[in-house]
Every structure is written in C-alpha cells, then in structure tokens.
Amino acid sequence: MSTFRSIVFSSVIAGFIVGLIVTAAQQFGTVPLILKAEVYEKAAEHKHEAAASPQVVLVHDAADHDHGAEAWEPKDGLERNLYTAGANILTAIGFALLLGGFFAVRSGATGEPISWHEGLMWGLAGFAVFTIAPSLGLPPELPGVPAAPLLSRQIWWITAVLATAAGLGLIVFRRSAPAAIAGVALIMLPHLIGAPELEHVETNVPSSLSHQFVVAVTLTSLVFWALLGSLTSTAFAYFDRPASA
C-alpha cells in the first residue's frame, strides 16, 4: 500500500476509535462540570436581565426577542452527545494525519517500521505542545467565566504551540548545547511575554469547579494523545508494511 494511503487509513481508523473513547470519558469528566457551570451562567444572566429592566413586561419582551436572536445550538442529551462525538472524531483524525505524516518521514529516513511505544512518545509530545504549554497561560475555562478577547487569546495560543513545538524539535533532534539552550528559550518565550487576561474577573462560578475542570480536561487530553499516538503508529505500521510481508 502506498505511504499516502497508509497515512489516511491509519489516521481515520485511529481517529475514529480515539474520538469515541474520549467522548465516553468526557461524559464522566468534563461534561458534568460544564452542565454545572451553565447553571451558574444562566442564573447570572437572569439576574442581570432582571436588574437591567424596570418592568416585568419589558423583561419578558426582551427575553422573547433574545431567544429568537440566539444562535442555534444542539439540544441537551443525545443530540448534543452526537455532535460532541463527531467533533472529537474529526479532531482526532486531523491530529492523526499530522502524526501519520511524521511517522512516514521517520520510517522513510530510518527504513524501520514505527513501533507503538515510539508512537506513544510522539503522542506525549503532542500532549505537551497542544495541552500543557498553552494551558500554563490560558487554562481551560468553564461557561460563565469571563476571558480576554478571543483574537488575542488565539494569537497567544498559536504562538505558544509553535514555540513549544520548535523548542522541543531543537532539543530532541539537534542534540547540542546551543540547540538545547535555544529550544528552552523558545519554549519559555510566550510565557515570559504573558498570556492575555482580564484585570478584574467577576463570576459566580466557584473556583473549585474551575479547578476540577482544568484537571479533568488535562487528564482527558492525556488519554487522547497517548491513545492517538499509540493507535496511529500501530495502524500505520500495519498498512505501510511491504506487500511481501
């Protein structure tokens, strides 16, 4: 089988499996915390609307108007879970394609098949790049918790990801003291600049709930990347083996 088809087949299979597993894990970890936070968020919105409107009739009219202008969102229950599963599967396939490309280059350079434990190490590297590094400056946030403007957060997040990936690449692949120093400097640079944040944050979401959410998201992401690296490498090695084998 051609290398391109091996990348695609292994990524789709691994991404589908990992997406389903992570969706199941989220039902016990992050989803209950999000639902609790949404209760606090809706309570704060109702309180704000009541304080802003002097008449009950006006509040009712405004609520009807806002309800009609709200963006569509899936209903709670099965529909919401299906959309979550679909998003997780697509995300997993996308990252698996990225890993599959690295595996193809690695296998082509060494002439040896990729092992599952080597894939696991690549997965843990993805966990460090896409979860640990950005979360140090921008931890996962629950609904109802104010945050800095979206564009500035996106720019910082992308910067942190690229700097961490480049820094780890210098440390692991160049294997020299100057490269290691440059790699560490690149990894630290976004955090020295500082992530965008609000000066004053007012929310009725308990801090303990936010802490639990950060832990749950981090653990779920660890499972995601560990499984994705292992399964993608195993599937790629299977599909990319010589026809004679």
Side-chain angles (χ1 to χ4, degrees):
M1 183 179 291
S2 68
T3 301
F4 177 76
R5 291 178 64 188
S6 299
I7 294 174
V8 173
F9 282 17
S10 59
S11 299
V12 171
I13 293 174
F16 184 79
I17 296 173
V18 173
L20 290 181
I21 293 175
V22 168
T23 300
Q26 288 174 338
Q27 301 307 309
F28 300 96
T30 58
V31 171
L33 300 176
I34 292 174
L35 294 177
K36 289 181 181 179
E38 287 179 348
V39 174
Y40 288 100
E41 181 184 28
K42 292 177 181 178
E45 290 176 354
H46 290 321
K47 183 178 180 180
H48 176 74
E49 290 176 356
S53 180
Q55 297 181 4
V56 176
V57 175
L58 293 180
V59 172
H60 178 73
D61 293 342
D64 288 343
H65 176 72
D66 291 340
H67 178 75
E70 286 179 354
W72 176 88
E73 62 181 18
K75 298 178 181 179
D76 292 338
L78 179 61
E79 183 177 350
R80 185 171 185 170
N81 292 337
L82 288 176
Y83 276 96
T84 300
N88 287 336
I89 290 172
L90 290 176
T91 301
I93 291 175
F95 281 121
L97 288 169
L98 184 64
L99 288 173
F102 287 132
F103 296 156
V105 173
R106 176 75 174 83
S107 179
T110 61
E112 299 178 356
I114 298 293
S115 61
W116 71 267
H117 55 270
E118 187 174 357
L120 174 62
M121 298 306 297
W122 277 92
L124 294 178
F127 173 68
V129 170
F130 291 99
T131 300
I132 295 298
S135 295
L136 292 176
L138 294 175
E141 295 172 344
L142 284 166
V145 179
L150 178 61
L151 180 60
S152 59
R153 285 185 288 141
Q154 289 176 329
I155 292 174
W156 188 90
W157 189 92
I158 294 173
T159 302
V161 166
L162 293 178
T164 304
L168 288 177
L170 287 173
I171 295 172
V172 173
F173 296 113
R174 297 301 295 271
R175 297 182 181 276
S176 66
I181 295 173
V184 172
L186 271 176
I187 295 173
M188 294 178 58
L189 181 59
H191 305 283
L192 294 176
I193 296 174
E197 57 183 21
L198 298 176
E199 294 183 2
H200 303 287
V201 177
E202 296 182 3
T203 177
N204 60 345
V205 177
S207 58
S208 59
L209 195 64
S210 296
H211 176 72
Q212 294 175 31
F213 184 68
V214 171
V215 173
V217 169
T218 303
L219 292 177
T220 304
S221 181
L222 176 59
V223 172
F224 173 90
W225 281 106
L227 288 176
L228 192 67
S230 302
L231 292 179
T232 305
S233 60
T234 301
F236 178 80
Y238 175 81
F239 288 116
D240 198 49
R241 61 184 178 177
S244 58

